[in-house]
Amino acid sequence: MHRRFLTFATAALTAAALTACTAGKESAPALGTQSKPSGSASLPATALELWHGFSAPAEVKAFEDAIAGFRQKFPQITVKLVKGVQDDQITQAVRGGKAPDVASSFTTDNVAQWCKSGTFQDLTQVIRQDGIDLSVLPEASRSYTEFEGRRCVMPLLADAYGLYYNKALMKGSQPPKTLSELTELTKKLTVRDADGTIKVAGFIPSFEYYENTASHLAPMVGAKWYNPDGTSAIGSDPAWKQLLRWQKELVDWYGYDKLDKFRKSLGQEWSADHPFYKGKVAMVLDGEWRNAMIANEAGSLDYGTAPLPVADDKPELYGSGFTAGTVIGVPKGAKNPQAAWELVKYLTTDTTALVTLSNALRNVPTTKASLESPDLKKDENFQTFIDIFGHPKTSTVPSSVNSSFNQEAIQEFMHQWEKGSVKDLDAGLAGVDKRVNDKLKLSGG
């Protein structure tokens, strides 16, 4: 299920804590400093503690099922799972010298700080020792698990974002492939009362609507977050202006006040009253997990999925999208780092473990073998997101000590933009750059 809605606040708190702290005293050897045992059976009997953020009973069971193979491979190692753990708890535990052996996070926003501060141990040496070929992972997932040459976490499961469409409301129309097609189809499918009140929206362009965040929309136009020197590219990359101008034109077509009123009248995103289920919105941007939620909450809905439409002048982007995901690693101070790495390696490279998790949680598995496994449960609608995840143009927010703040800064600006409060787009985006770059300096970037 989707968890990124929890991450902005958690990421901001964690980043602040990481910037202000030095990890606590290590009571155990660092990963890679010990001689590597020859063979799995040579690892001593030990107990590992793995912290993760899953909390629903089905999610917790999925994790237990996924490590069954590890327990069979290493019967001398016991694994205790601790559920419902958030990033700030991991950081505080490391600072206090009470780190778990293994920890998992739902967000990639803190990876740069974790790698830079040493909160999570560098896996580069043990990856090399064990001969792991990282090319089995798509480029995007490799990029969001390392920072400045330190790979301190591995990708566990991934989210990918695409377009969901209501087949009945589409009335035979094909899903749009370009922004101009999306605009045209939105106008065609929107239903209003005589006074202009919106009854059904073809597509809601508001940046305040559910998953319409800057990070999820940026790949539609190929917008860049950073310049080669690490400074913000939001104000200088023309793709951001392209996205904002397209969005504002569609908002103005609806009428901001009418669109805002309609948006606020809709059901909650995380409930059976989701407006897509109720036929109130014909097309929505969402992640792969929505397939499972539709099956559970609106099983009779006749819908399809497709990649997000892209800028008309960048057709090569079609089929790609945004990705991020769950990451897992060995925190600093882990008492049993070598055994902990074996568990991390198993969960992130073993096909059976990844397929087990994906089938239960309905997130995208991250290795090529797991994506192609005949045991992976997938239909046409889920296959869309597998294809998006594997597309060479699929992108993510690059690792940075500032990654959560820059997303918040542009999102705040976007809200003002769609309201009509921004009179000078160039100056406004330059102001976002200044905020991001000033924050970067304070963060030690």
Side-chain angles (χ1 to χ4, degrees):
M1 296 299 180
H2 177 51
R3 295 166 295 277
R4 280 188 64 83
F5 70 98
L6 294 172
T7 64
F8 270 167
T10 301
L13 288 171
T14 304
L18 285 165
T19 303
C21 80
T22 300
K25 295 180 180 179
E26 287 188 72
S27 57
L31 186 60
T33 61
Q34 298 171 294
S35 59
K36 181 174 169 54
S38 57
S40 60
S42 64
L43 282 171
T46 189
L48 297 178
E49 189 166 277
L50 187 160
W51 290 6
H52 64 82
F54 298 100
S55 56
E59 295 175 334
V60 174
K61 182 179 183 301
F63 230 91
E64 288 283 357
D65 291 344
I67 65 172
F70 179 83
R71 288 177 168 139
Q72 185 175 11
K73 184 177 180 180
F74 298 96
Q76 75 276 29
I77 299 177
T78 60
V79 181
K80 176 185 177 182
L81 300 180
V82 179
K83 66 181 181 179
V85 178
Q86 300 302 316
D87 287 10
D88 56 338
Q89 294 171 274
I90 298 169
T91 302
Q92 294 301 327
V94 173
R95 290 179 67 189
K98 299 179 180 180
D101 297 287
V102 178
S104 174
S105 170
F106 289 149
T107 176
T108 61
D109 291 335
N110 293 318
V111 169
Q113 280 284 8
W114 278 336
C115 288
K116 184 173 182 177
S117 67
T119 299
F120 274 65
Q121 299 188 41
D122 191 352
L123 304 176
T124 304
Q125 184 175 341
V126 287
I127 289 172
R128 187 182 303 115
Q129 287 175 348
D130 289 357
I132 296 174
D133 181 5
L134 292 177
S135 69
V136 301
L137 305 170
E139 174 59 33
S141 61
R142 296 201 300 271
S143 72
Y144 66 62
T145 49
E146 64 91 25
F147 181 67
E148 294 183 344
R150 291 173 60 92
R151 182 170 303 283
C152 63
V153 289
M154 290 282 282
L156 183 54
L157 291 175
D159 290 327
Y161 291 76
L163 187 75
Y164 286 74
Y165 58 93
N166 183 311
K167 290 184 176 180
L169 295 179
M170 295 284 278
K171 298 178 181 178
S173 296
Q174 295 301 304
K177 293 185 176 182
T178 65
L179 292 181
S180 62
E181 289 177 0
L182 177 57
T183 296
E184 181 181 356
L185 193 55
T186 295
K187 294 177 179 180
K188 176 182 175 181
L189 301 180
T190 295
V191 179
R192 303 178 191 251
D193 281 345
D195 64 357
T197 298
I198 302 167
K199 305 300 292 182
V200 176
F203 177 82
I204 296 179
S206 172
F207 292 133
E208 297 189 71
Y209 180 66
Y210 300 161
E211 298 298 320
N212 291 4
T213 65
S215 58
H216 300 165
L217 293 166
M220 296 167 68
V221 294
K224 294 184 295 186
W225 290 91
Y226 297 105
N227 295 310
D229 64 358
T231 57
S232 176
I234 292 171
S236 59
D237 182 1
W240 286 105
K241 288 191 286 187
Q242 184 179 28
L243 174 65
L244 288 163
R245 285 170 174 158
W246 164 79
Q247 184 264 358
K248 187 65 165 64
E249 180 182 337
L250 195 50
V251 168
D252 290 347
W253 177 81
Y254 274 112
Y256 173 80
D257 291 340
K258 287 183 171 60
L259 183 63
D260 194 51
K261 180 179 179 181
F262 177 72
R263 179 183 62 81
K264 290 176 178 177
S265 73
L266 300 174
Q268 295 297 313
E269 180 179 8
W270 310 108
S271 76
D273 290 327
H274 192 291
F276 184 68
Y277 304 166
K278 301 298 183 180
K280 302 292 288 182
V281 184
M283 299 175 288
V284 295
L285 181 162
D286 220 329
E288 82 293 332
W289 65 85
R290 183 61 62 184
N291 286 291
M293 298 185 77
I294 290 173
N296 292 333
E297 300 169 346
S300 62
L301 181 65
D302 187 15
Y303 75 101
T305 61
L308 289 171
V310 300
D312 292 62
D313 61 342
K314 299 172 184 174
E316 71 279 3
L317 294 177
Y318 187 72
S320 67
F322 174 82
T323 187
T326 301
V327 296
I328 189 168
V330 181
K332 182 179 182 180
K335 295 180 178 62
N336 305 288
Q338 186 59 52
W341 161 242
E342 292 294 339
L343 179 54
V344 169
K345 179 173 68 173
Y346 177 81
L347 286 172
T348 58
T349 64
D350 184 85
T351 299
T352 298
L354 286 167
V355 169
T356 297
L357 281 171
S358 177
N359 286 342
L361 304 175
R362 304 317 291 147
N363 297 130
V364 178
T366 42
T367 65
K368 293 178 182 177
S370 59
L371 291 167
E372 297 169 359
S373 171
D375 297 323
L376 181 64
K377 296 177 183 177
K378 53 187 177 183
D379 56 16
E380 184 178 359
N381 286 327
F382 192 73
Q383 183 66 46
T384 296
F385 297 93
I386 292 175
D387 294 342
I388 292 170
F389 178 65
H391 194 284
K393 295 289 186 180
T394 285
S395 59
T396 190
V397 179
S399 293
S400 168
V401 294
N402 220 22
S403 63
S404 59
F405 181 80
N406 64 358
Q407 293 175 69
E408 293 163 5
I410 183 60
Q411 200 72 28
E412 291 170 9
F413 176 78
M414 289 165 131
H415 293 167
Q416 296 302 312
W417 165 254
E418 72 177 55
K419 292 177 181 178
S421 301
V422 177
K423 304 307 178 185
D424 187 330
L425 181 56
D426 287 316
L429 290 174
V432 174
D433 274 350
K434 185 177 186 307
R435 286 188 64 196
V436 172
N437 292 333
D438 287 349
K439 179 70 172 181
L440 188 64
K441 293 175 184 177
L442 291 174
S443 302

